[in-house]
Amino acid sequence: MNKCRYCNTSTELFFCPNCGKIIKYPSFIQNNEKLEKSISAFVSSLVLEAKEKRIKISEKVDQGVLSDAVFRKYFEHVAWLKDICDSDATYKTFDTNAESLIDTMLSFGEKCISNECQIAIVGTVKAGKSMFLNAILGREIASTYPTPETASVTKFRYSPKGNYVKVSFYKTPEWKQLWASVMEAKANSFRDDKEDFLSEYNRLNAETIRGNFLDKDDEIYEIDDFESLKSLVTKFTSCKHPEHFFAKEVEVGLTTFNVPKNIVFVDTPGLNDPVSFRSDITKRYLHSANVVLLCVKAASSDITASELEDIAILFQEMRHSKERIYLFGTQYDNADTHFVRHWEKYTKPEFMKYLSGSRYFNSEQVASERIMPVSAWYYNMIQRAKNNRSIWENSDDVDILAELLTRCLGRSVVEEYTDKYGSKEGRPMCFYNHISELETQTNIPIVSRIIMEGPIKDAESIIKQDVRDVYVSICEHISEVANDAISLKKDAIELSSRSDVVARIQDLEKQIQFKESTLSDNISKINALLDDIGERTDDIINRLKSK
């Protein structure tokens, strides 16, 4: 047991989880001043970030199942490897791989500290990710505005001490990258102007408030009133508000979210967003995700080539844990009058045909278990009517509910009630008498149970397995890059040596041709030059062999 001399915190770790000070450096870097400084800065930054995210490491780490295995072995080693790969002396060796590798290492450190199981909602633009998340949350909080302009990841977690919203803002370097990506998308865009990032930016006069948010420190808003919380989330995530352009990440803590405190649900930008910077946010975030809930539009039985390619990217990122990808056919209620039968007969077989392949689930059985339909729109509508009976007084809502009843229960069932009690009384009566059946047809209760009894129940073992897999992947990545670099250097040395010999011989042949035609008496000198070339060639070959 170590004890921090700065704040008296006791810990099994080599650093203090409370203040971030190093107590005792790992044995393999002791007395190396450069490495000690680097790891000290690395640890301090991670501890500070953990505090900002309200993660109490001092309570979690030493008492958690991860403390010894992760922090004393993996974390120390990866911190050391990060310093090697990110140093001036070796950066050129990792030139084409360094950024993704360093991102992976930083993500690894965050995994170790947070002890969180992050469940990411991922999919293509307009696939209904946010609506699906609202159904899982049981509250309509995530913005469902139908344009793909939200640039941030939005996290939802249980908060035992009250509801809150935490907003992290873009820094200037990140904003420059985003803006360059927007300009590139504009040049290549064939979309309608109303869906264009730049058009929305100008229409909302976002430039006039840029100075208020860019480079701003994180803001934490503690809110008791649910409507105020929802309004604030909408402000920083919905395309209806200019503030959303500058929010990099939004975290929402909910007292009503009935999951363990180390479970985090994350809403992400679309995989195929026309602004590549936003798609890249999701792809980079996959390094942190432990479980992926993949939303794919299932309004028809077709799945496009571009969708398959986007899905393949996700499966490649999760290649070590494909069994933790769940695919949900969203909007399947748009397919046909009998949308449940349409899914079973047409859509699911089409999805299975492609997604059972080696680039995806690589198994018909796994694909069958992991592919399922959801109607988040109908489920959320049912919850509104369940919680507020006055919804039947709104003509627009009544039309939607009437359609829902007919499609889910059949016209004859609904007419039994309307013929006996009239439309105004009969429809609500039919709805509340069959509410369980209506919810079941949306498939959300079944999906929620699968998530609760699967990844949420197994969260601790999933976290441990992911930490181990990422650690092994980092070591293998470094080994591959280093071996490739060594091989390239050897090839370059051999090639340059051979090229030098060839060039010199070609030059010599020209000299021979000239001298033979004009100065036959100089043949002895030419032979001497050839002897010299022979000796030099032998010397080069011997040196290469010795290396």
Side-chain angles (χ1 to χ4, degrees):
M1 181 70 69
N2 298 319
K3 192 165 187 176
C4 177
R5 64 179 181 274
Y6 298 97
C7 64
N8 291 323
T9 299
S10 295
T11 177
E12 293 287 345
L13 310 179
F14 74 98
F15 67 91
C16 176
N18 183 51
C19 68
K21 300 291 186 183
I22 303 296
I23 300 172
K24 183 180 180 182
Y25 286 101
S27 58
F28 54 81
I29 63 165
Q30 285 180 3
N31 302 319
N32 185 321
E33 185 178 350
K34 185 175 181 296
L35 281 177
E36 288 180 355
K37 285 182 179 179
S38 176
I39 290 184
S40 178
F42 183 52
V43 168
S44 295
S45 65
L46 288 174
V47 170
L48 179 61
E49 184 176 355
K51 284 188 175 183
E52 289 175 350
K53 292 182 177 180
R54 298 186 171 193
I55 300 167
K56 292 190 175 180
I57 308 172
S58 56
E59 293 180 3
K60 212 176 247 184
V61 172
D62 286 341
Q63 298 172 12
V65 294
L66 301 181
S67 61
D68 189 60
V70 174
F71 283 90
R72 296 193 65 82
K73 178 182 177 183
Y74 298 141
F75 183 85
E76 298 172 8
H77 193 194
V78 168
W80 175 59
L81 291 173
K82 176 187 176 295
D83 182 85
I84 293 175
C85 298
D86 205 19
S87 68
D88 293 337
T90 58
Y91 187 81
K92 288 183 179 179
T93 303
F94 294 87
D95 193 23
T96 58
N97 301 280
E99 184 177 354
S100 61
L101 182 59
I102 299 303
D103 284 347
T104 302
M105 288 179 171
L106 289 171
S107 172
F108 177 87
E110 291 171 5
K111 281 178 182 286
C112 292
I113 284 182
S114 66
N115 191 18
E116 289 178 348
C117 181
Q118 301 210 20
I119 302 176
I121 317 294
V122 178
T124 53
V125 167
K126 298 184 181 181
K129 299 183 298 296
S130 298
M131 192 167 291
F132 172 65
L133 177 57
N134 284 336
I136 298 298
L137 292 171
R139 305 293 293 269
E140 294 186 66
I141 303 173
S143 175
T144 56
Y145 194 58
T147 55
E149 308 303 335
T150 299
S152 62
V153 295
T154 309
K155 298 182 176 182
F156 297 85
R157 66 192 313 147
Y158 169 67
S159 171
K161 297 180 180 179
N163 298 330
Y164 70 87
V165 176
K166 178 184 174 183
V167 186
S168 301
F169 300 95
Y170 280 110
K171 306 303 180 186
T172 295
E174 297 166 323
W175 181 256
K176 287 181 179 178
Q177 290 182 48
L178 171 59
W179 200 253
S181 181
V182 169
M183 293 299 103
E184 181 182 355
K186 183 176 184 293
N188 300 317
S189 178
F190 297 97
R191 296 189 304 157
D192 192 294
D193 283 343
K194 69 184 179 184
E195 294 181 354
D196 183 76
F197 181 102
L198 195 58
S199 297
E200 288 292 303
Y201 187 85
N202 292 331
R203 185 180 66 81
L204 294 170
N205 296 314
E207 185 65 20
T208 62
I209 65 169
R210 179 162 66 101
N212 297 336
F213 296 101
L214 197 61
D215 294 316
K216 187 177 181 180
D217 292 337
D218 294 354
E219 288 276 4
I220 298 178
Y221 307 87
E222 297 181 353
I223 306 167
D224 293 327
D225 176 62
F226 176 75
E227 288 304 319
S228 298
L229 181 140
K230 182 178 178 179
S231 176
L232 190 62
V233 172
T234 300
K235 175 181 176 180
F236 286 109
T237 63
S238 169
C239 300
K240 293 181 179 180
H241 300 275
E243 291 84 356
H244 93 278
F245 287 103
F246 311 104
K248 178 182 177 182
E249 180 178 302
V250 177
E251 180 177 297
V252 184
L254 300 168
T255 58
T256 56
F257 194 17
N258 188 28
V259 295
K261 60 181 180 180
N262 66 338
I263 300 295
V264 183
F265 280 77
V266 186
D267 194 10
T268 64
L271 279 170
N272 62 337
D273 197 296
V275 178
S276 62
F277 185 88
R278 290 199 295 254
S279 294
D280 290 343
I281 288 173
T282 299
K283 290 169 187 174
R284 284 196 301 272
Y285 174 72
L286 291 174
H287 290 303
S288 303
N290 302 95
V291 179
V292 170
L293 309 183
L294 173 60
C295 295
V296 180
K297 287 181 284 189
S300 69
S301 57
D302 297 326
I303 183 167
T304 67
S306 61
E307 283 178 322
L308 281 171
E309 195 57 38
D310 290 325
I311 295 168
I313 291 171
L314 184 147
F315 273 83
Q316 174 61 22
E317 290 290 342
M318 299 286 289
R319 58 190 177 278
H320 299 299
S321 50
K322 290 181 179 181
E323 73 281 358
R324 283 193 249 119
I325 298 176
Y326 296 78
L327 189 146
F328 299 104
T330 56
Q331 305 170 16
Y332 91 121
D333 48 54
N334 292 337
D336 193 90
T337 302
H338 304 291
F339 57 91
V340 177
R341 291 203 296 269
H342 186 277
W343 165 266
E344 292 295 337
K345 187 174 181 179
Y346 301 106
T347 311
K348 185 172 182 178
E350 188 74 6
F351 278 34
M352 286 285 297
K353 180 173 71 176
Y354 292 106
L355 299 173
S356 299
S358 58
R359 294 185 73 187
Y360 306 98
F361 286 110
N362 197 32
S363 162
E364 285 193 11
Q365 180 178 345
V366 175
S368 181
E369 292 171 353
R370 292 293 187 274
I371 297 174
M372 58 200 86
V374 289
S375 174
W377 163 247
Y378 274 168
Y379 182 81
N380 290 333
M381 197 69 198
I382 291 168
Q383 300 314 300
R384 290 180 204 171
K386 190 175 182 179
N387 298 323
N388 182 13
R389 293 191 177 227
S390 65
I391 195 172
W392 294 94
E393 298 172 8
N394 185 309
S395 58
D396 292 337
D397 291 334
V398 168
D399 289 342
I400 294 171
L401 290 167
E403 178 191 80
L404 185 157
L405 287 170
T406 301
R407 297 189 72 195
C408 293
L409 303 177
R411 189 175 300 278
S412 60
V413 174
V414 179
E415 286 179 349
E416 284 183 21
Y417 285 87
T418 56
D419 289 346
K420 187 172 182 178
Y421 301 102
S423 295
K424 188 173 182 180
E425 299 294 331
R427 285 171 176 169
M429 191 175 295
C430 177
F431 176 88
Y432 293 110
N433 284 347
H434 294 84
I435 197 164
S436 179
E437 183 180 348
L438 295 172
E439 288 179 333
T440 298
Q441 289 207 32
T442 69
N443 219 35
I444 292 294
I446 297 170
V447 166
S448 296
R449 187 171 67 251
I450 288 171
I451 295 171
M452 288 296 295
E453 295 178 358
I456 291 180
K457 183 179 179 181
D458 298 335
E460 286 294 337
S461 60
I462 287 174
I463 296 168
K464 285 199 294 182
Q465 183 63 41
D466 272 2
V467 165
R468 180 190 175 280
D469 289 345
V470 174
Y471 172 78
V472 171
S473 176
I474 288 171
C475 294
E476 289 178 347
H477 192 165
I478 292 171
S479 177
E480 288 171 6
V481 173
N483 287 333
D484 287 346
I486 291 169
S487 177
L488 286 171
K489 283 189 174 182
K490 286 182 177 179
D491 291 345
I493 290 170
E494 185 177 352
L495 181 61
S496 65
S497 300
R498 289 176 179 173
S499 299
D500 180 61
V501 172
V502 171
R504 294 177 69 177
I505 289 175
Q506 289 175 342
D507 182 65
L508 185 57
E509 287 175 344
K510 290 178 182 178
Q511 293 181 47
I512 291 173
Q513 291 172 0
F514 173 77
K515 291 181 183 295
E516 281 184 336
S517 63
T518 58
L519 300 168
S520 58
D521 60 322
N522 284 339
I523 290 176
S524 60
K525 293 181 180 179
I526 292 170
N527 288 333
L529 286 171
L530 283 171
D531 289 340
D532 180 58
I533 285 294
E535 290 175 3
R536 290 175 181 269
T537 301
D538 289 340
D539 182 55
I540 289 171
I541 290 171
N542 289 332
R543 281 192 284 115
L544 286 174
K545 286 181 177 179
S546 67
K547 291 181 178 179

